[in-house]
Amino acid sequence: MALKAVVFDAYGTLFDVQSVAAVTDAAFPGHGDYITQVWRLKQLEYTWLRSLMGQYADFWTVTREALAYTLATLGLVADEALFDRIAAAYDALEAYPDAEPALAALGAFRLAIFSNGSPAMLAALVGRSPLGRFLEASLSVDAKRVYKPDPRAYALVEEALGVAPAEALFVSSNGFDVSGAKQVGFAVARIERVPAPDLSRALVAAPAIGPSLMFKALRTQAERCGAAADWTIASLTDLPALAAQLAGR
Ligand code: 2OP
């Protein structure tokens, strides 16, 4: 494999969506965990619904729609200023601690993000993080007006970078994204942030399954629908060795 580029998903892969909890819990004490989890689940659900309906709206719109749904389920009302403040938490997610060392060690390859995030959201995320200096581009599905895992979205990577899927390693923690990238010919590494044995032990032992654990069950495991990843890694810092192996170095 003539590996030329490593392309990263953003939310849940380089950036931790759980880091909105500080904002959600401050806004509505005691409801932060529920809001954090249902918000993310609905955000993704709305990307799929909008793609299936052919009703594209950008990820900032979808993120706000999902937040509105979530607050409404609790009967919570946020004025415009508070709503905007909570929504903006998605522009200030923390980069996972393994992201910077991984990207720093992948300097032999072209590095880019390919994400559902809108251009403005990705610019805000990358701009606030230490990752920008390693990234050649932050590509948004917005240019294609359809969300992952629609194959049309992934075509943007080759169009923008001039790198064919067969020349790139795609990295994601999101199972649907893994399947989407595999179906268009990328070599795919899935980063497993919640190991399956840890999840099943926690689920079996839990006296009640709360929002965080339910989220982990629903969104952190390899999907059984569509193609599987070529590799599963426990940390992004496993990537430099994998990339070097793929490049025949
Ligand atoms: C991303 O596209 C899938 O939300 C995830 O960054």
Side-chain angles (χ1 to χ4, degrees):
M1 178 184 183
L3 182 69
K4 293 182 179 173
V6 182
V7 181
F8 294 86
D9 167 54
Y11 303 92
T13 299
L14 293 177
F15 298 96
D16 183 0
V17 298
Q18 294 296 321
S19 53
V20 303
V23 174
T24 57
D25 208 53
F28 296 105
H31 296 301
D33 186 31
Y34 171 89
I35 294 170
T36 297
Q37 312 310 337
V38 174
W39 186 10
R40 174 60 174 170
L41 291 170
K42 273 292 164 183
Q43 180 197 57
L44 289 173
E45 190 178 316
Y46 283 174
T47 63
W48 303 323
L49 282 180
R50 282 189 167 277
S51 289
L52 282 167
M53 294 188 293
Q55 296 290 321
Y56 178 83
D58 74 9
F59 205 57
W60 181 239
T61 302
V62 164
T63 297
R64 292 170 64 88
E65 289 173 338
L67 177 58
Y69 176 96
T70 305
L71 296 182
T73 61
L74 291 169
L76 295 175
V77 178
D79 64 20
E80 193 175 343
L82 176 58
F83 189 91
D84 291 347
R85 192 159 65 247
I86 299 170
Y90 260 89
D91 285 347
L93 300 179
E94 290 162 17
Y96 281 104
D98 55 351
E100 187 177 3
L103 270 60
L106 285 165
F109 305 97
R110 298 172 64 187
L111 304 180
I113 282 173
F114 172 58
S115 171
N116 280 341
S118 69
M121 290 176 79
L122 294 176
L125 267 187
V126 172
R128 281 187 172 88
S129 81
L131 307 184
R133 70 183 191 277
F134 304 112
L135 293 164
E136 170 182 335
S138 292
L139 305 175
S140 167
V141 300
D142 197 61
K144 289 293 185 179
R145 299 182 64 78
V146 69
Y147 284 106
K148 300 175 175 181
D150 190 301
R152 292 170 293 174
Y154 296 88
L156 180 65
V157 175
E158 181 165 16
E159 289 169 14
L161 299 181
V163 172
E167 300 170 312
L169 175 63
F170 189 80
V171 184
S172 187
S173 70
N174 295 290
F176 69 92
D177 195 14
V178 165
S179 298
K182 272 300 288 175
Q183 76 168 7
V184 296
F186 286 95
V188 179
R190 173 177 161 266
I191 172 153
E192 184 172 70
R193 299 246 182 241
V194 179
D198 296 359
L199 176 63
S200 47
R201 258 195 308 276
L203 284 167
V204 168
I209 295 176
S212 286
L213 193 49
M214 181 62 84
F215 178 85
K216 288 176 180 174
L218 290 171
R219 298 260 42 93
T220 66
Q221 301 302 290
E223 298 298 347
R224 304 300 175 98
C225 164
D230 297 291
W231 303 276
T232 298
I233 58 177
S235 168
L236 294 175
T237 52
D238 296 335
L239 286 170
L242 175 58
Q245 173 196 329
L246 291 176
R249 286 183 166 88

